[in-house]
């Protein structure tokens, strides 16, 4: 479910800083090599299909290089995730329009949460703690796939990719407040879903 | 937002996600490699097109400049004369200055020829 503050315009219509220096191809390749695996996993979690995920990552690489390859390398990270996020949103919209596959259950309404029920129990060791790696990995994948797209993106960009709130907001084209809201709800949903696997 | 309790399982989740990227199979890694190389090749192609475009534009500008220069040489417009004497100077004066003897003779004896012309006019009238 998309947050109200999120803009769904094309990524290349959003304002970006002007280039300060030309980048070199070697640095660009190193950057893409560094992010491509995480990008693939992110796309795979969004689509549930590796082939589609590979196509989306390739498309994102093309778009990123075409539009932002000349930008200073310090700007690359949020811009790359912005391009991929845009591709994932487009894919998600197409799926909804076509109604072909329901990869995930009906999206959660972001406003129907009981904050007391979703609050963590301080005496619990936490989800994933009692599972072996293989089981935990499968449980985590399944739990991430049940999240609404924006919540999953906020979780992955903020806590896995390590972007700060501002960079995550830039990548998701929404306000910093929306990022915090999406992340908070993602954590509550993951805690609840993974808790069911204990 | 995150409690210490959250930090534990989030760290575990992060480690599991990292493991999943390390465990990607060779075919998938090869596809990623090809995708990356194709994206970078597109960039090199763009650079070449830019260079070609710049070359064509420079050649066109050069041709235009040459064309304009040749056109101006064919025209008779000159800069405005700096003094009245220069303004009075006529192209025919060049004959006098370039050593044509007949023209120089005419120029030296202008008074005589003017008198002769008056005499002939008077005798015929």
């Amino acid at each position: 479910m998309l947050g109200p503050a999120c803009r769904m315009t094309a990524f290349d219509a959003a304002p970006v800083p002007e280039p300060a220096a030309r980048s070199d191809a070697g640095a660009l390749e190193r950057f893409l090599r560094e992010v491509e695996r995480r990008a693939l996993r992110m796309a795979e979690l969004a689509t549930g299909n590796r082939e589609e995920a590979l196509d989306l990552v390739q498309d994102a690489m093309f778009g990123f290089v075409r539009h932002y390859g000349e930008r200073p390398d310090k700007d690359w990270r949020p811009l790359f995730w912005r391009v991929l996020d845009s591709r994932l949103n487009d894919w998600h919209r197409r799926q909804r329009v076509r109604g072909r596959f329901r990869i995930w259950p009906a999206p959660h309404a972001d406003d129907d949460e009981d904050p007391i029920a979703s609050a963590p129990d301080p005496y619990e060791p936490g989800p994933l703690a009692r599972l072996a790696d293989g089981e935990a990995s499968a449980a985590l994948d399944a739990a991430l796939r049940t999240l609404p797209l924006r919540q999953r993106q906020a979780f992955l960009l903020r806590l896995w990719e390590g972007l700060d709130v501002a960079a995550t907001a830039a990548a998701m084209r929404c306000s910093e407040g929306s990022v915090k809201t999406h992340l908070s709800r993602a954590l509550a949903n993951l805690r609840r879903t993974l808790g069911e696997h204990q | 937002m995150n409690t210490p309790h959250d930090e534990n399982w989030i760290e575990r989740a992060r480690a599991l996600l990292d493991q999943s990227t390390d465990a990607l199979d060779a075919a998938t890694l090869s596809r990623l490699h090809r995708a990356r190389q194709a994206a970078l090749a597109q960039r090199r192609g763009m650079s070449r097109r830019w260079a070609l475009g710049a070359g064509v534009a420079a050649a066109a500008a050069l041709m235009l400049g040459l064309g304009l220069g040749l056109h101006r040489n064919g025209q008779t417009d000159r800069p405005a004369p700096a003094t009245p004497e220069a303004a009075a100077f006529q192209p025919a004066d060049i004959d006098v200055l370039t050593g044509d003897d007949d023209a120089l003779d005419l120029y030296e004896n202008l008074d005589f020829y003017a008198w002769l012309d008056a005499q002939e006019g008077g005798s015929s009238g």
Side-chain angles (χ1 to χ4, degrees):
Chain A
M1 186 67 66
L2 300 177
C6 289
R7 290 177 286 128
M8 295 303 296
T9 53
F11 70 90
D12 41 5
V16 289
E18 286 302 310
R22 284 180 66 87
S23 54
D24 68 282
L28 191 59
E29 177 169 16
R30 282 192 298 278
F31 169 75
L32 289 176
R33 195 186 309 139
E34 184 196 329
V35 295
E36 65 191 12
R37 294 185 187 200
R38 290 195 297 281
L40 177 67
R41 289 289 290 127
M42 209 174 281
E44 200 173 26
L45 287 166
T47 62
N49 181 298
R50 179 157 292 182
E51 284 301 312
E52 295 222 48
L54 279 164
D55 287 347
L56 285 170
V57 170
Q58 175 165 339
D59 200 23
M61 284 182 178
F62 270 76
F64 168 74
V65 169
R66 186 184 312 124
H67 293 285
Y68 302 125
E70 298 297 323
R71 304 268 172 191
D73 53 5
K74 66 182 175 55
D75 295 338
W76 284 346
R77 192 168 297 276
L79 290 172
F80 175 79
W81 295 116
R82 175 190 285 195
V83 176
L84 181 65
D85 187 73
S86 175
R87 298 296 189 270
L88 295 179
N89 273 307
D90 290 346
W91 185 90
H92 193 199
R93 270 199 297 273
R94 283 198 304 273
Q95 295 304 307
R96 276 195 306 196
V97 170
R98 291 174 189 167
R100 287 192 316 188
F101 306 111
R102 264 296 169 200
I103 305 298
W104 49 80
H108 301 269
D110 275 0
D111 299 324
D112 62 356
E113 254 171 47
D114 177 358
I116 297 175
S118 60
D121 178 352
Y123 298 105
E124 267 295 309
L128 301 173
R130 297 195 184 103
L131 296 176
D133 274 4
E135 289 175 313
S137 186
L140 178 63
D141 267 27
L144 284 169
R145 281 179 189 164
T146 65
L147 289 181
L149 177 64
R150 308 302 280 171
Q151 290 184 19
R152 183 172 51 245
Q153 287 298 97
F155 177 85
L156 293 174
L157 291 173
R158 182 83 183 83
L159 298 180
W160 187 30
E161 178 60 19
L163 298 184
D164 60 22
V165 175
T168 306
M172 293 177 64
R173 290 154 299 134
C174 62
S175 68
E176 295 185 16
S178 291
V179 169
K180 291 174 184 172
T181 302
H182 287 312
L183 181 58
S184 169
R185 289 172 179 167
L187 289 174
N189 283 328
L190 285 172
R191 204 182 292 121
R192 186 176 57 229
T193 310
L194 291 170
E196 292 166 1
H197 286 82
Q198 304 291 322
Chain B
M1 183 192 330
N2 299 345
T3 63
H5 161 90
D6 271 337
E7 292 297 337
N8 291 335
W9 74 263
I10 289 171
E11 189 54 46
R12 180 96 195 273
R14 202 179 283 135
L16 289 170
L17 288 166
D18 285 340
Q19 282 174 25
S20 73
T21 63
D22 294 338
L24 289 172
D25 59 272
T28 301
L29 293 177
S30 173
R31 286 278 303 274
L32 285 174
H33 175 80
R34 288 203 303 273
R36 183 185 350 121
Q37 293 305 321
L40 293 168
Q42 167 208 230
R43 182 178 189 251
R44 287 190 287 271
M46 283 166 59
S47 299
R48 276 197 293 271
R49 279 195 296 278
W50 273 104
L52 181 63
V56 168
L62 183 63
M63 295 298 290
L64 185 65
L66 284 173
L68 282 174
L70 290 173
H71 180 68
R72 279 175 184 263
N73 281 343
Q75 288 182 339
T76 56
D77 54 335
R78 293 190 174 85
T83 62
E85 292 77 11
F89 182 81
Q90 294 298 315
D93 295 342
I94 292 173
D95 290 339
V96 175
L97 300 176
T98 52
D100 184 331
D101 288 343
D102 290 338
L104 186 59
D105 182 58
L106 174 67
Y107 191 76
E108 285 176 342
N109 300 296
L110 269 178
D111 292 339
F112 169 73
Y113 287 114
W115 173 82
L116 185 62
D117 187 48
Q119 293 301 312
E120 286 176 358
S123 61
S124 65

